[in-house]
């Protein structure tokens, strides 16, 4: 009986630790993805700011093409 209790407790602890580690890794991946997106957006913004002043029509055309 004691073996069964110890085995059940060990199995529950193993499942909980696996869940906790998986959740932590998923959160880490999400944070890394957000950091990469921020870097990418800042690079794109820098390229836009370096350009000379564009006309409104040119900006709208670029937005429709997905460049901006």
């Amino acid at each position: 009986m004691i073996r069964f209790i110890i085995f059940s407790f060990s199995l529950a602890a193993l499942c909980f630790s696996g869940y906790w580690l998986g959740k932590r890794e998923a959160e880490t991946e999400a944070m890394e993805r957000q950091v990469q997106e921020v870097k990418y957006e800042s690079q794109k913004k820098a390229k836009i700011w370096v350009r000379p002043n564009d006309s409104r029509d040119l900006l709208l055309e670029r937005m429709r093409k997905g460049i901006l």
Side-chain angles (χ1 to χ4, degrees), residues 3-54:
R3 284 186 184 174
F4 178 72
I5 293 171
I6 293 173
F7 176 75
S8 299
F9 182 74
S10 299
L11 185 62
L14 180 66
C15 291
F16 177 75
S17 63
Y19 169 76
W20 183 72
L21 287 173
K23 182 180 177 184
R24 195 173 95 196
E25 186 169 331
E27 289 174 352
T28 304
E29 288 177 7
M31 292 288 281
E32 288 175 356
R33 197 174 312 122
Q34 286 177 348
V35 168
Q36 288 176 351
E37 287 176 3
V38 168
K39 286 181 182 177
Y40 178 75
E41 288 177 1
S42 63
Q43 289 174 354
K44 288 291 189 177
K45 281 183 185 179
K47 287 181 182 179
I48 292 171
W49 283 103
V50 170
R51 292 184 192 159
N53 293 336
D54 292 331

Side-chain angles (χ1 to χ4, degrees), residues 51-65 67-68:
R51 292 184 192 159
N53 293 336
D54 292 331
S55 67
R56 182 178 184 278
D57 294 332
L58 184 60
L59 291 173
L60 288 174
E61 180 183 333
R62 287 184 182 163
M63 285 177 59
R64 289 184 188 116
K65 288 182 181 178
I67 296 173
L68 292 180

